[in-house]
Amino acid sequence: MLPTPSGPMFGCLVDIAYLLWQRAVDVRMLKEAQIDGGIGGYIRFKPGKTKKSSGKSVDILITPAIYEVLERARAVKKEYKVHGKPLITPYLFPTRKGTPHGKSGLFSMWDRARDRLGIDKDSPPDERIQFKDLCALGATDAAKAGEKIEAIQNRLVHTSTKTSEIYIKEAVPSKSAIDVAVPWPTK
């Protein structure tokens, strides 16, 4: 597969979407000003979807994995030049012109990446995942790792666990670790 000019930044967008579980618009519009510190700091999201309803926002802890993606995106951004000068932009994942990726641009990159992987319009529907499915994948993986639904709900900025349960795409067995002894003699 041939590398593309937008490939490194697109890779950062995909990785951060999986790690943060935020909507594509909120990820592609992420500004440096929303990021407070390094590992142990926070990224503040005020999702557009909540502005007219709950008004909820979320501060997501910057883990080592998230920090690595942030730094990778910053390194890619440093390589961008406009008229030979360093690009100055408030966005973490800008285009080469310094603007945020548009909806159609992001989805076009996603479609081209799927096509390069051989996942085309004739592939089974479960293989034709969309960019927004990264959020559900992250939530599902967290549920499988034992995260509580309330923590998943908080990260997704949902007002009910029922909505968050929709994002968990596999039946995750509940765990029981109750340790009881037999109440009668066993010898």
Side-chain angles (χ1 to χ4, degrees), residues 23 26 46-54 156-158 167:
R23 294 172 66 224
D26 295 317
K46 293 182 180 181
K49 70 178 181 180
T50 67
K51 282 182 183 170
K52 293 183 180 176
S53 57
S54 69
L156 292 169
V157 199
H158 289 155
Y167 282 66

Side-chain angles (χ1 to χ4, degrees), residues 149-161:
I149 189 67
E150 293 81 9
I152 293 169
Q153 172 190 349
N154 184 49
R155 177 71 150 254
L156 292 169
V157 199
H158 289 155
T159 55
S160 85
T161 57

Side-chain angles (χ1 to χ4, degrees), residues 53-177:
S53 57
S54 69
K56 288 182 74 167
S57 63
V58 64
D59 287 347
I60 297 177
L61 178 72
I62 299 173
T63 64
I66 291 170
Y67 184 74
E68 185 276 326
V69 177
L70 297 177
E71 288 301 297
R72 196 164 20 110
R74 288 173 176 142
V76 171
K77 187 167 71 167
K78 279 183 184 174
E79 295 174 13
Y80 291 174
K81 305 277 187 249
V82 176
H83 305 296
K85 295 180 182 175
L87 175 71
I88 298 174
T89 178
Y91 299 101
L92 182 62
F93 306 107
T95 65
R96 291 184 169 276
K97 294 179 181 176
T99 59
H101 289 277
K103 180 180 178 179
S104 63
L106 178 66
F107 295 153
S108 176
M109 286 189 292
W110 181 257
D111 289 342
R112 288 191 310 271
R114 279 191 318 210
D115 291 345
R116 282 193 298 277
L117 291 170
I119 303 169
D120 59 24
K121 62 180 175 30
D122 298 324
S123 297
D126 62 326
E127 289 181 14
R128 295 273 315 154
I129 63 172
Q130 298 177 34
F131 191 86
K132 68 180 183 178
D133 294 331
L134 293 169
C135 178
L137 178 62
T140 300
D141 287 350
K144 289 180 359 187
E147 287 294 331
K148 298 198 179 309
I149 189 67
E150 293 81 9
I152 293 169
Q153 172 190 349
N154 184 49
R155 177 71 150 254
L156 292 169
V157 199
H158 289 155
T159 55
S160 85
T161 57
K162 288 193 181 294
T163 305
S164 300
E165 287 168 354
I166 294 167
Y167 282 66
I168 300 171
K169 300 298 182 185
E170 293 179 32
V172 179
S174 59
K175 296 178 182 177
S176 175

